[in-house]
């Protein structure tokens, strides 16, 4: 009943903002792909708890934002690519490591709050969202944004970009898209859906006409 009411409220707010899709409700995590409050395995009925809790969090990921999900212990094959100028970390770090807690397919989605289930057909991440542990065929992450040696990258400090769904924020590539000077999953995706573009895969910017790619790459 409570869930029902929240959903109805979300739908009303969504319509009031002129958003066409109710299932993707950009602007909040509620109703997004990361809203697990109604999952059969989530008895709490809460949203944040799958990834964050106020106390007694995962000590093994230091400096992560109150991280409550079992971290991945897998060893990942990193991108080596063609002609990389930046430095790719030897292992995923920062936000990417948190995303891979679920998206490398080695830890169950319902493994949080100290539970340690391994993936089964019920709680494993779906195949299309499972990047696996071999990241050499994915866009580089945990890579420095080396706009000095790679002159086909727009200057991170001085290029202003706008992200979000028309209500987004404007700022430099460095401030809005990079984390400690590095490209991470969160450079392109907004895990909370706050500034993601409706109808995309939680992208911080529409990729129509490859706009997202052209934000960083001067091609
Ligand atoms: C599916 C996992 C997931 C869920 C669910 C989730 N978060 Fe997060 N959260 C993350 C990740 C990953 C980061 C760090 C990377 C980032 O901010 O992009 C983060 C960072 C944060 C931060 C610190 C950085 C910032 O964005 O301000 C806050 C605060 C936060 N989350 C609050 C919440 C709250 C409140 C909820 C529930 C309404 C929530 N999160 C639900 C994954 C999640
Ligand atoms: C608690 C586990 C968990 C964490 C942590 C997590 N995700 Fe997800 N994510 C999921 C699940 C489950 C789905 C739904 C997959 C599906 O469609 O079946 C999903 C879906 C997505 C999608 C597809 C969205 C759509 O609308 O189809 C994207 C993009 C995504 N996640 C990116 C991220 C990024 C980036 C991070 C880290 C900043 C992250 N996720 C962290 C579990 C997680
Ligand atoms: C350089 C930008 C970029 C980075 C970095 C990036 N992604 Fe994506 N990702 C995209 C784009 C663009 C799409 C949408 C592709 C499409 O719609 O066909 C996408 C799609 C996805 C999907 C949806 C797959 C599906 O078919 O449902 C997931 C899940 C996802 N990314 C997770 C991640 C995770 C986890 C990371 C970090 C390890 C990451 N992404 C890093 C750009 C990026
Ligand atoms: C947040 C900035 C950013 C965005 C957005 C982005 N990239 Fe990148 N991309 C980078 C950086 C940084 C590198 C590493 C470049 C280097 O050091 O040589 C890279 C590397 C690459 C490479 C590998 C180059 C090589 O030499 O192996 C390709 C290809 C690429 N990006 C394509 C894309 C595509 C396609 C998109 C859109 C889906 C995209 N990028 C979006 C920053 C970005």
């Amino acid at each position: 009943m409570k869930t029902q009411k929240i959903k109805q409220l979300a739908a009303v707010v969504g319509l009031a903002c002129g958003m066409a899709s109710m299932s993707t409700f950009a602007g909040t995590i509620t109703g997004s792909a990361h809203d697990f409050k109604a999952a059969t395995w989530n008895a709490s009925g809460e949203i944040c708890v799958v990834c964050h809790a106020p106390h007694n969090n995962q000590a093994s990921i230091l400096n992560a934002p109150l991280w409550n999900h079992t971290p991945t212990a897998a060893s990942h094959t990193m991108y080596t690519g063609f002609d990389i100028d930046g430095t790719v970390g030897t292992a995923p770090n920062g936000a990417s490591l948190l995303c891979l807690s679920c998206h490398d397919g080695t830890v169950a989605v319902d493994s949080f709050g100290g539970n340690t289930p391994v993936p089964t057909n019920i709680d494993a991440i779906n195949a299309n969202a499972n990047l696996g542990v071999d990241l050499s065929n994915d866009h580089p992450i945990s890579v420095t944004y080396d706009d000095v040696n790679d002159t086909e990258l727009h200057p991170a400090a001085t290029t202003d970009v706008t992200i979000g769904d028309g209500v987004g924020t404007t700022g430099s590539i460095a401030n809005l898209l990079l984390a400690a000077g590095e490209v991470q999953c969160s450079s392109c995706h907004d895990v909370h859906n706050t500034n993601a573009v409706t109808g995309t895969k939680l992208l911080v910017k529409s990729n129509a006409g490859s706009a997202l790619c052209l934000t960083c790459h001067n091609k």
Side-chain angles (χ1 to χ4, degrees):
M1 192 62 194
K2 202 175 165 195
T3 311
Q4 194 67 28
K5 274 195 178 142
I6 294 169
K7 273 193 184 146
Q8 280 167 1
L9 187 65
V12 168
V13 176
L15 284 175
C17 298
M19 287 168 186
S21 165
M22 291 191 206
S23 55
T24 48
F25 193 53
T28 162
I29 195 167
T30 305
S32 75
H34 291 136
D35 178 356
F36 304 118
K37 67 177 175 301
T40 50
W41 43 262
N42 184 3
S44 75
E46 295 173 17
I47 299 176
C48 316
V49 70
V50 178
C51 296
H52 311 281
H55 302 294
N56 297 325
N57 280 287
Q58 298 288 338
S60 51
I61 296 195
L62 293 173
N63 298 323
L66 302 175
W67 199 245
N68 195 37
H69 197 271
T70 306
T72 173
S75 146
H76 299 90
T77 305
M78 302 299 279
Y79 185 91
T80 46
F82 222 61
D83 180 24
I84 278 279
D85 295 296
T87 307
V88 184
T90 51
N93 60 29
S96 300
L97 186 58
L98 304 181
C99 308
L100 291 165
S101 296
C102 292
H103 284 282
D104 74 4
T106 65
V107 183
V109 176
D110 67 356
S111 180
F112 62 97
N115 299 327
T116 52
V118 290
T120 67
N121 289 333
I122 302 162
D123 54 23
I125 197 148
N126 287 339
N128 59 347
N130 184 348
L131 274 53
V133 297
D134 184 353
L135 304 176
S136 65
N137 56 358
D138 298 286
H139 190 283
I141 46 112
S142 304
V143 59
T144 57
Y145 191 94
D146 191 345
D147 55 6
V148 174
N149 289 312
D150 189 340
T151 51
E152 293 186 4
L153 288 172
H154 291 294
T158 53
T159 306
D160 275 346
V161 298
T162 302
I163 59 165
D165 207 355
V167 290
T169 335
T170 301
S172 65
I173 291 174
N175 282 340
L176 291 185
L177 301 181
L178 307 180
E182 293 188 340
V183 174
Q184 302 287 7
C185 312
S186 48
S187 299
C188 300
H189 297 287
D190 182 349
V191 67
H192 303 116
N193 196 32
T194 317
N195 275 313
V197 176
T198 313
T200 68
K201 302 282 181 188
L202 298 176
L203 294 177
V204 297
K205 186 172 177 151
S206 162
N207 204 25
S210 297
L212 174 66
C213 315
L214 290 167
T215 303
C216 294
H217 293 280
N218 184 9
K219 295 292 181 205

